[in-house]
Amino acid sequence: MAEGENEVRWDGLCSRDSTTRETALENIKQTILRKTEYLRSVKETPLRPSDGLSNAVSLDGLNKLLAHLLMLSKRCPFKDVREKSEFILKSVQELGIRIPRPLGHGPSRFIPEKEILQVGSEDAQMHTVFADSFAALGRLDNITLVMVFHPQYLESFLKTQHYLLQMDGPLPLHYRHYIGIMAAARHQCSYLVNLHVNDFLHVGGDPKWLNGLENAPQKLQNLGELNKVLAHRPWLITKEHIEGLLKAEEHSWSLAELVHAVVLLTHYHSLASFTFGCGISPEIHCDGGHTFRPPSVSNYCICDITNGNHSVDETQVNSAGNVSVSDSFFEVEALMEKMRQLQECRDEEEASQEEMASRFEIEKRESMFVFSSDDEEVTPARDVSRHFEDTSYGYKDFSRHGMHVPTFRVQDYCWEDHGYSLVNRLYPDVGQLIDEKFHIAYNLTYNTMAMHKDVDTSMLRRAIWNYIHCMFGIRYDDYDYGEINQLLDRSFKVYIKTVVCTPEKVTKRMYDSFWRQFKHSEKVHVNLLLIEARMQAELLYALRAITRYMT
């Protein structure tokens, strides 16, 4: 009777056909009730010593099924599945078995749940996006529910991710999920690691590989060095890294496979930044997303208090933290005034090339001295750190310790003219999808800033994008880097650098301390800029090294 969660067929619930979903739900219900009855009968009969372990395994298997049902009752875009899942849970509870309940308050620890679109209240267009995502992944994850603030971007993101993970490509499906695990683990992102461990097993991956990178094939182990450097110091990537992977005899990668792997690594490094930057909560059915404790009188238990989840409405009354509304209002006014003044200066005179180059070097140097007060080491948990080697290797500014890294001039190698065509040639259609995603993130605007409407935000968006590239040593000859210090204040720079370089160190206090009068949707918008600028920077260094190897 110790059936695991994987022995129940959930895929029928992803169907657009209600009859197929109904049949699947009935089968799930029968399996769960059978397991429940078995455990009830066991309780009523005397235990033999050999029964203890078998019953514990049975209970664990049932608990996993119930946690999955709980997730479906809250997160499935199909109303019939939500209602029937809830009904099955209640039926189990009536039979005297404890059922799980959600922990925490919604998809994000930083954004009040009431501000996030609730599943079941979406419009027809968004329902289609939700249904597509659910059909592809068998879940509607918390990342999707936070990105939904920006539907145009979300559609592009989901389409790209679906192509990378599930459509035809150079790498087998289980390799793709394993590379996702390796990439997310570099930033200790247990949220993404847990999701892809489940996906890896679902597509037939060998469970032994999950015991540690040393148990994976040598070919994947060889990717560890590129994963490490790409995640933390991409400016150090050379054509020798590429050559080592392509010429490893029987463990060698083809160029097409390597481009697929590089895109996956950069995608998941960036997604780890989004996960931490937006305070994404564990999925309901994963560890940390639910509890089997009975609800307490005040509707949350003592474990919520120790997790900092208590009195959520008090701590998140407004997105301005503990700062008075008038103070943060003046922040917005001051920022808009600076934008107006910079535009006037642009119109009047243009700095010389020498002056622009000098301002870039100043900003690049200054970016090294931006670090958070929470800048202590974060020790990776064993279940995450086993998926990568050299746990002490992390982000270091490129000019520390007397090391000088030459500036990467976009005019010499850029995404539009070089990277895009290389990716598209070796992994058809992916270059197009990534390019569309970059453009949507960079150009996305609602012409609003906090309470102001009809605002041209292009100057601010460009400053954020170029500041991230500047931190990676990437320079645009036609940009005046003096604008960055005018538009991005210190608390914002601390947040940006932490999200992009050491996302595992992001705190709610950092999130609350920048742009205090802006809406949560605008802060999520900032995170979309951060992750796409980061992904493009990593890709530029990796693709330039591949190009140098090829020529």
Side-chain angles (χ1 to χ4, degrees):
M1 281 305 295
E3 295 166 339
E5 188 193 0
N6 292 333
E7 291 182 50
V8 171
R9 297 301 302 267
W10 302 100
D11 33 6
L13 303 182
C14 300
S15 171
R16 309 288 178 137
D17 175 50
S18 59
T19 311
T20 304
R21 295 198 299 270
E22 193 179 340
T23 305
L25 279 164
E26 187 54 37
N27 289 337
I28 290 165
K29 178 186 164 190
Q30 294 305 327
T31 301
I32 287 175
L33 290 178
R34 197 168 66 248
K35 288 171 82 70
T36 303
E37 287 295 347
Y38 169 76
L39 284 166
R40 282 184 72 210
S41 68
V42 160
K43 271 185 185 176
E44 291 160 12
T45 53
L47 262 183
R48 290 173 311 184
S50 60
D51 291 339
L53 181 61
S54 143
N55 294 343
V57 170
S58 290
L59 182 59
D60 183 54
L62 178 62
N63 284 347
K64 283 180 177 164
L65 293 174
L66 296 177
H68 202 116
L69 269 186
L70 177 68
M71 178 272 286
L72 292 170
S73 73
K74 305 284 183 190
R75 295 282 193 264
C76 183
F78 303 116
K79 188 180 179 187
D80 56 334
V81 175
R82 289 198 305 275
E83 291 177 346
K84 187 70 182 276
S85 298
E86 200 168 324
F87 172 77
I88 298 171
L89 284 169
K90 281 182 178 158
S91 305
V92 169
Q93 189 175 31
E94 283 163 9
L95 291 170
I97 299 288
R98 281 191 318 173
I99 62 168
R101 59 188 186 79
L103 264 178
H105 299 272
S108 163
R109 292 177 293 109
F110 298 170
I111 305 169
E113 188 171 12
K114 62 180 180 289
E115 295 201 28
I116 293 175
L117 180 66
Q118 300 297 303
V119 179
S121 59
E122 70 273 13
D123 61 23
Q125 186 187 356
M126 194 42 61
H127 178 76
T128 303
V129 174
F130 280 178
D132 286 347
S133 178
F134 190 82
L137 297 169
R139 60 177 180 264
L140 199 54
D141 58 40
N142 289 338
I143 285 176
T144 300
L145 292 172
V146 171
M147 279 186 183
V148 84
F149 278 118
H150 305 285
Q152 187 193 3
Y153 175 86
L154 174 62
E155 285 194 60
S156 176
F157 171 85
L158 290 173
K159 198 163 54 170
T160 306
Q161 184 168 262
H162 177 63
Y163 198 95
L164 287 173
L165 292 176
Q166 292 172 297
M167 301 295 280
D168 287 346
L171 293 173
L173 297 184
H174 63 302
Y175 265 52
R176 303 181 198 193
H177 290 293
Y178 197 81
I179 291 168
I181 293 167
M182 288 172 67
R186 274 284 13 146
H187 283 307
Q188 300 151 45
C189 186
S190 52
Y191 171 87
L192 289 173
V193 169
N194 287 339
L195 284 185
H196 285 280
V197 161
N198 290 335
D199 292 340
F200 171 77
L201 294 171
H202 184 68
V203 296
D206 184 346
K208 289 196 202 73
W209 298 9
L210 300 175
N211 293 332
L213 185 58
E214 67 279 3
N215 297 290
Q218 188 61 46
K219 184 171 174 173
L220 281 167
Q221 291 183 44
N222 292 349
L223 195 64
E225 181 71 14
L226 185 68
N227 178 29
K228 175 178 87 172
V229 181
L230 201 53
H232 304 300
R233 307 173 203 173
W235 47 87
L236 297 180
I237 290 174
T238 64
K239 69 176 185 180
E240 283 71 34
H241 285 108
I242 306 305
E243 189 171 19
L245 289 163
L246 296 175
K247 294 191 169 176
E249 294 171 356
E250 73 266 30
H251 307 300
S252 64
W253 293 73
S254 71
L255 265 173
E257 287 174 332
L258 186 58
V259 166
H260 192 169
V262 161
V263 172
L264 282 167
L265 290 172
T266 59
H267 176 82
Y268 282 103
H269 294 156
S270 302
L271 201 52
S273 283
F274 185 86
T275 301
F276 287 114
C278 291
I280 300 295
S281 302
E283 293 299 325
I284 289 173
H285 62 300
C286 292
D287 287 348
H290 61 274
T291 176
F292 280 86
R293 288 189 181 88
S296 61
V297 179
S298 59
N299 211 21
Y300 60 81
C301 67
I302 198 74
C303 56
D304 287 344
I305 297 174
T306 57
N307 287 337
N309 288 330
H310 59 296
S311 37
V312 71
D313 294 326
E314 286 170 43
T315 56
Q316 297 175 328
V317 170
N318 60 50
S319 60
N322 298 321
V323 178
S324 73
V325 173
S326 60
D327 281 358
S328 47
F329 174 79
F330 286 123
E331 273 184 347
V332 181
E333 299 299 314
L335 181 54
M336 291 188 64
E337 178 59 22
K338 282 177 184 167
M339 287 165 65
R340 190 183 62 74
Q341 288 172 358
L342 284 169
Q343 189 57 54
E344 283 177 5
C345 293
R346 265 189 196 174
D347 296 341
E348 285 169 19
E349 59 173 323
E350 198 173 296
S352 67
Q353 279 299 313
E354 292 75 15
E355 180 61 23
M356 302 258 261
S358 165
R359 288 174 188 175
F360 170 78
E361 291 302 328
I362 290 167
E363 191 55 54
K364 188 168 85 166
R365 250 191 333 271
E366 282 189 4
S367 77
M368 293 193 309
F369 301 105
V370 172
F371 53 88
S372 73
S373 54
D374 304 321
D375 203 15
E376 74 279 348
E377 290 303 309
V378 179
T379 309
R382 164 67 190 148
D383 63 331
V384 172
S385 64
R386 64 183 171 208
H387 299 299
F388 63 94
E389 296 162 329
D390 196 359
T391 54
S392 62
Y393 190 94
Y395 174 79
K396 286 277 186 297
D397 291 308
F398 41 70
S399 295
R400 290 266 167 99
H401 315 301
M403 201 175 108
H404 178 70
V405 174
T407 293
F408 185 133
R409 292 174 71 251
V410 166
Q411 279 66 21
D412 298 333
Y413 195 96
C414 69
W415 167 255
E416 290 79 6
D417 298 338
H418 307 95
Y420 167 78
S421 55
L422 178 62
V423 172
N424 241 20
R425 190 164 86 244
L426 293 167
Y427 187 8
D429 298 332
V430 164
Q432 180 68 44
L433 289 166
I434 296 170
D435 188 58
E436 179 187 289
K437 188 160 61 78
F438 286 157
H439 276 284
I440 289 172
Y442 188 85
N443 297 310
L444 187 66
T445 184
Y446 305 94
N447 299 109
T448 60
M449 274 179 64
M451 69 295 291
H452 296 280
K453 293 184 168 58
D454 302 317
V455 184
D456 179 359
T457 62
S458 55
M459 180 185 286
L460 186 55
R461 285 180 279 119
R462 190 176 183 193
I464 294 168
W465 187 279
N466 287 3
Y467 179 58
I468 293 158
H469 280 196
C470 177
M471 289 191 305
F472 283 89
I474 297 171
R475 181 187 163 215
Y476 295 80
D477 285 354
D478 61 348
Y479 183 69
D480 180 356
Y481 286 84
E483 292 187 5
I484 288 173
N485 267 342
Q486 297 288 315
L487 298 174
L488 313 183
D489 66 22
R490 178 151 188 91
S491 62
F492 192 17
K493 282 184 168 182
V494 165
Y495 178 78
I496 291 173
K497 185 169 183 179
T498 310
V499 169
V500 171
C501 302
T502 52
E504 58 278 8
K505 294 181 181 177
V506 174
T507 63
K508 184 175 186 302
R509 191 175 56 73
M510 281 182 205
Y511 175 89
D512 288 339
S513 69
F514 84 91
W515 282 12
R516 292 169 291 190
Q517 193 61 21
F518 285 70
K519 301 183 192 79
H520 288 289
S521 62
E522 291 172 306
K523 292 193 171 192
V524 173
H525 187 174
V526 164
N527 274 281
L528 300 183
L529 277 170
L530 303 192
I531 66 171
E532 293 302 334
R534 175 188 178 169
M535 181 172 177
Q536 191 177 97
E538 284 190 26
L539 274 177
L540 284 174
Y541 278 110
L543 296 174
R544 184 179 69 167
I546 291 173
T547 301
R548 285 177 172 173
Y549 166 80
M550 290 167 68
T551 48

